Amino acid sequence: MINVALDGPGGAGKSTIARAVAAELGFIYVDTGALYRAVGLNALRHGIDTRNIDGIIKMLDETDVSLKFINGEQRVMLGDEDVSTDIRLPEASMAASNVSAIPAVRQFLFDLQRKIAAENNCLMDGRDIGTVVLPDADLKVFMTASPETRARRRYDELREKGENVRFEEVLDELNKRDYQDTHREIAPLKQADDAILLDTSDLSFDEVKEKLLIMIKEKANG
């Protein structure tokens, strides 16, 4: 069983790259950020302030978040509803950052993440995979890029989906989330001591994909 931990800030390209690499290798891909987005989205739908710890904890008792894998592709379920598209809206991003700072939410999702990794060859991405969720992962990679590069990627992605956003707004939100993720008390975003740094600022999608594939294949071949 091979587990790969891929961490890094928002907009670094983790999800897109990880999904493609996992598909090529036949691994299960787990986007842990999507799970937090689902919890945050559920709170928004119920009118709960995502900074209201007591409100969020109470909501968890009635929250059913799960993953379905269809042809190796991850779909995020909230109850019986596929929310894979809705969780990518900008408001779900900040909601995810808020709820992920709550220990009860992290514990709520922790067991699910660990169970998937124990049962599958998997590539799991997030912000604390190598440091907290899978500290014994076979390979740890910390993927990043400059804030401007990451904001441009997120902006282009949202525009392609028809969202009416301004680049300055996307950059501002990204910087705010970076600060919040790196300064939270519980499982802050940081590079694991034994993680390989991969800066994608000046790399194409294919170049990043190839680098990650080489790292994984070298590890698999021991």
Side-chain angles (χ1 to χ4, degrees):
M1 207 70 69
I2 296 178
N3 289 165
V4 179
L6 181 62
D7 289 307
K14 300 189 306 294
S15 299
T16 306
I17 292 295
R19 187 179 294 110
V21 169
E24 183 160 330
L25 294 174
F27 283 22
I28 289 294
Y29 162 60
V30 184
D31 174 5
T32 62
L35 299 173
Y36 289 100
R37 285 171 177 266
V39 173
L41 177 66
N42 196 45
L44 294 176
R45 287 182 171 182
H46 286 82
I48 301 172
D49 184 341
T50 53
R51 293 182 182 276
N52 180 344
I53 296 177
D54 290 338
I56 295 297
I57 292 176
K58 183 177 180 180
M59 180 197 75
L60 290 177
D61 291 334
E62 302 173 357
T63 300
D64 178 20
V65 176
S66 61
L67 298 178
K68 283 188 177 181
F69 296 96
I70 303 174
N71 296 324
E73 182 180 354
Q74 171 184 288
R75 307 302 295 177
V76 184
M77 309 299 295
L78 192 54
D80 295 326
E81 181 187 358
D82 184 341
V83 294
S84 303
T85 298
D86 288 355
I87 60 172
R88 297 301 168 187
L89 296 174
E91 55 267 30
S93 178
M94 189 52 70
S97 185
N98 289 340
V99 301
S100 67
I102 301 174
V105 174
R106 306 198 72 83
Q107 188 60 48
F108 176 72
L109 297 174
F110 184 77
D111 293 338
L112 172 61
Q113 296 166 19
R114 277 282 185 89
K115 183 174 186 295
I116 294 171
E119 297 174 351
N120 301 275
N121 288 325
C122 80
L123 202 169
M124 188 176 295
D125 86 50
R127 285 167 170 73
D128 66 343
I129 308 306
T131 54
V132 177
V133 181
L134 300 178
D136 297 321
D138 300 282
L139 174 65
K140 301 177 186 179
V141 179
F142 191 87
M143 184 182 294
T144 189
S146 69
E148 290 75 18
T149 299
R150 292 187 286 120
R152 176 60 61 183
R153 290 171 180 167
R154 183 60 54 80
Y155 171 79
D156 290 342
E157 177 185 342
L158 292 170
R159 294 289 291 183
E160 285 179 9
K161 293 179 179 179
E163 295 293 322
N164 184 22
V165 295
R166 293 190 307 112
F167 173 76
E168 292 76 14
E169 293 174 344
V170 176
L171 177 60
D172 182 60
E173 181 179 293
L174 182 143
N175 284 329
K176 286 179 179 177
R177 180 161 191 191
D178 280 355
Y179 182 85
Q180 183 161 312
D181 288 347
T182 55
H183 287 77
R184 67 189 180 210
E185 292 185 14
I186 305 297
L189 167 66
K190 64 178 181 179
Q191 180 179 343
D193 292 338
D194 54 348
I196 298 171
L197 178 64
L198 179 56
D199 191 322
T200 68
S201 298
D202 300 315
L203 300 176
S204 68
F205 173 87
D206 288 338
E207 288 172 330
V208 178
K209 178 183 174 184
E210 186 60 26
K211 283 181 177 291
L212 190 54
L213 278 170
I214 290 173
M215 291 180 197
I216 297 173
K217 289 176 180 178
E218 287 180 345
K219 183 63 64 172
N221 294 329

